[in-house]
Amino acid sequence: MTLKISVIGTGYLGATHAACLAELGFEVIGVDSDGGKVAHLNAGVAPFAEPGLDDLLNRHVSTGRLRFTTDVSEAAASSDVHFLCVGTPQAGSGLSADLSAVWTCTRELARHLTRDCLVIGKSTVPVGTAERLGSELARFAPTGIRTSVAWNPEFLREGHGVHDTLHPDRLVFGVATPDAELALRTIYEQAIADGVPVHVTDLATAELAKSAANAFLATKISFINAMTDISERADADVVALADILGDDPRIGRRFLDAGVGFGGGCLPKDLRALSARASELGARSVTGLLREVDAINLRARTKVAELARELTGGDLAGRRVAVLGAAFKPLSDDVRDSPALDVARRLHAQGADVRVFDPEAALNARAVAPELTYVASLESALRDADLVLHLTEWPQFVEMDPHWAASLVRRRVVVDGRNRLDPERWTMAGWTIQGIGRPKRQQPVATRTADAAAVI
Ligand code: UDX
């Protein structure tokens, strides 16, 4: 018998998971309290940018294998397995995660259950949540209904969600019973047959696996961002340093790109939630480490904003600044905790005339930072700029012709907040370019040619 599956919460994680489960052949019902989102999904359209997702939604919504509803009772009555994928944002006060959506959905689901079921947590939660989830289900489910809990964290990256869900690099099954393990093995049969490693563990370790993975990635980025401080003081190049470190297979090159730091809906809040949970549990070394990782990351933004002020002669008032990028990373329209947007707002607050261009994220950016001016093209952002800030490494920014850009701006000064522009190319086109943690050697070509001539 094919398992019938529900996915509760249809954000980046849930919508992608639901569509991928349908792709694997399961009958899937997605549940979300947001009627607008449900209508979008039922029309086969993702409410956010995620490559490949519209195609999956379209195909499986039209066959009827995948549908979405706001009514949890439909899911409760029809599904053997429920994946819990609701958001766990940072709480309004403090660093911990806000689990209100987890508890609301759990109780709602439990109250409507008419059959035994397995609830599998996927949301990123503080360790210990799964255990409480089990007791909440037992407390609110009708008498005679048996429920059990498993934890199956998801490591998908935005912009690669479909690929990462269908071809994960590992599977983590936090289980308390053999039945739960069997259900998970059935659901992930294809990936297991493809050779994806499976880690069967307890609930707490599975919960911790996700928080710890994100905290480690954040630590890696903050490590290299800390190295920018010493590189700048010693006139060394952090990019070359990262390349050298990265050739050591024990270190690896990925997540060693220094710059304006990390953002998004996961890394910053997961880092803080883990730090808060560690503090509750008395694990002080974790709290101390992660607080510093967070602080280094926030200092990276301050550093870019200060560099911008310095490069406009110490006063941003009235200066036109082109901000390239608003999304927290390229190929995404997500602006949650975006370093680019944060820096843009800081410059605006200091009186700069900020023009933001992002190929995908302008609409979302405008909703959270309406005070900024958003322009429809790279060209309009660059026109008459006194300073250019490259803050999200969209391919069209990295590949931009510096001669073309030079013909548009008022002053040829660029801060490369992602260390992705080629300093040589930009310098040759007459720009003063400053990366993060890179030597202050890039002089406009006019000066260099004059020097060369003097030597001859
Ligand atoms: C992250 C994790 O990678 C993923 O496994 C988890 O499931 C969710 O959180 P995501 O938020 O999509 O995924 O973004 P990711 O690609 O990890 O980038 C996070 C941030 O770090 C971005 O702002 C990115 O620009 C920044 N980053 C990344 C750096 O500043 N330097 C790097 O070297 C790498």
Side-chain angles (χ1 to χ4, degrees):
M1 189 192 72
T2 318
L3 283 176
K4 289 189 176 165
I5 301 179
S6 98
V7 175
I8 300 173
T10 59
Y12 283 97
L13 170 62
T16 310
H17 190 57
C20 289
L21 286 171
E23 173 76 1
L24 292 172
F26 295 102
E27 202 175 301
V28 185
I29 178 164
V31 186
D32 203 290
S33 56
D34 181 339
K37 206 185 268 180
V38 164
H40 255 94
L41 292 163
N42 273 329
V45 182
F48 46 82
E50 190 60 51
L53 185 55
D54 281 349
D55 174 46
L56 284 190
L57 287 169
N58 242 312
R59 275 197 282 127
H60 298 302
V61 165
S62 55
T63 61
R65 199 191 288 165
L66 174 63
R67 67 197 174 87
F68 295 89
T69 177
T70 52
D71 184 1
V72 75
S73 69
E74 274 186 62
S78 64
S79 308
D80 310 293
V81 170
H82 303 275
F83 277 99
L84 196 59
C85 296
V86 295
T88 52
Q90 188 175 336
S93 58
L95 300 182
S96 53
D98 175 356
L99 297 184
S100 53
V102 171
W103 303 131
T104 309
C105 291
T106 302
R107 288 171 196 155
E108 276 301 289
L109 172 69
R111 282 194 189 100
H112 288 94
L113 286 173
T114 54
R115 55 198 285 175
D116 297 346
C117 67
L118 171 66
V119 176
I120 305 176
K122 260 201 179 296
S123 308
T124 308
V125 292
V127 58
T129 305
E131 202 183 310
R132 184 170 160 205
L133 196 87
S135 0
E136 291 281 308
L137 285 168
R139 187 168 145 219
F140 287 93
T143 319
I145 299 283
R146 284 176 309 160
T147 57
S148 56
V149 173
W151 217 263
N152 168 226
E154 183 65 60
F155 301 95
L156 66 80
R157 298 159 299 166
E158 283 179 29
H160 303 270
V162 171
H163 173 271
D164 289 356
T165 306
L166 291 173
H167 308 284
D169 44 22
R170 76 282 214 195
L171 287 163
V172 178
F173 298 165
V175 292
T177 63
D179 283 355
E181 181 181 340
L182 188 64
L184 280 158
R185 285 191 180 275
T186 307
I187 294 165
Y188 292 107
E189 195 181 357
Q190 182 63 55
I192 296 171
D194 291 345
V196 174
V198 180
H199 299 269
V200 180
T201 183
D202 53 87
L203 293 170
T205 306
E207 291 172 299
L208 199 52
K210 177 61 192 283
S211 316
N214 276 355
F216 187 82
L217 293 173
T219 304
K220 214 173 162 189
I221 300 168
S222 278
F223 174 83
I224 202 69
N225 276 333
M227 288 299 119
T228 64
D229 280 351
I230 190 160
S231 297
E232 279 160 12
R233 286 170 171 80
D235 212 22
D237 183 357
V238 81
V239 175
L241 180 68
D243 290 342
I244 296 163
L245 296 180
D247 274 350
D248 181 335
R250 292 169 303 174
I251 298 175
R253 180 63 179 82
R254 294 170 75 186
F255 279 72
L256 281 183
D257 289 322
V260 70
F262 59 81
C266 293
L267 256 47
K269 67 107 179 155
D270 290 349
L271 181 73
R272 291 170 196 151
L274 179 57
S275 166
R277 185 65 180 134
S279 169
E280 281 168 14
L281 295 172
R284 262 183 269 137
S285 55
V286 176
T287 308
L289 171 70
L290 300 187
R291 281 209 176 133
E292 194 49 33
V293 168
D294 196 13
I296 293 168
N297 189 52
L298 295 177
R299 280 203 293 275
R301 301 176 186 189
T302 306
K303 193 161 153 174
V304 171
E306 278 171 1
L307 190 55
R309 205 183 49 224
E310 245 172 64
L311 290 170
T312 49
D315 185 9
L316 280 157
R319 296 305 194 116
R320 181 165 290 187
V321 181
V323 168
L324 309 188
F328 83 102
K329 67 174 189 180
L331 309 178
S332 166
D333 64 354
D334 192 346
V335 298
R336 286 177 294 170
D337 211 339
S338 163
L341 209 51
D342 188 3
V343 170
R345 297 180 90 170
R346 292 182 196 207
L347 303 189
H348 172 82
Q350 292 177 54
D353 170 14
V354 178
R355 305 278 158 120
V356 183
F357 173 65
D358 189 288
E360 299 269 351
L363 217 61
N364 289 339
R366 196 192 296 277
V368 296
E371 72 275 24
L372 303 177
T373 304
Y374 297 92
V375 294
S377 66
L378 178 55
E379 183 174 337
S380 341
L382 294 172
R383 194 170 296 286
D384 297 329
D386 294 303
L387 175 68
V388 177
L389 294 190
H390 173 234
L391 299 182
T392 310
E393 68 278 30
W394 285 93
Q396 69 190 93
F397 301 157
V398 176
E399 289 154 14
M400 164 176 37
D401 176 359
H403 290 281
W404 169 79
S407 70
L408 296 165
V409 296
R410 194 166 351 184
R411 288 173 71 238
R412 300 173 186 188
V413 186
V414 60
V415 174
D416 184 5
R418 293 293 181 179
N419 287 342
R420 287 296 173 86
L421 305 179
D422 178 351
E424 209 55 43
R425 256 182 98 215
W426 282 73
T427 309
M428 294 299 280
W431 286 80
T432 297
I433 173 166
Q434 188 55 58
I436 310 301
R438 312 206 74 179
K440 284 196 173 46
R441 62 176 174 80
Q442 294 94 11
Q443 291 300 317
V445 71
T447 322
R448 297 172 99 223
T449 315
D451 286 346
V455 172
I456 291 164

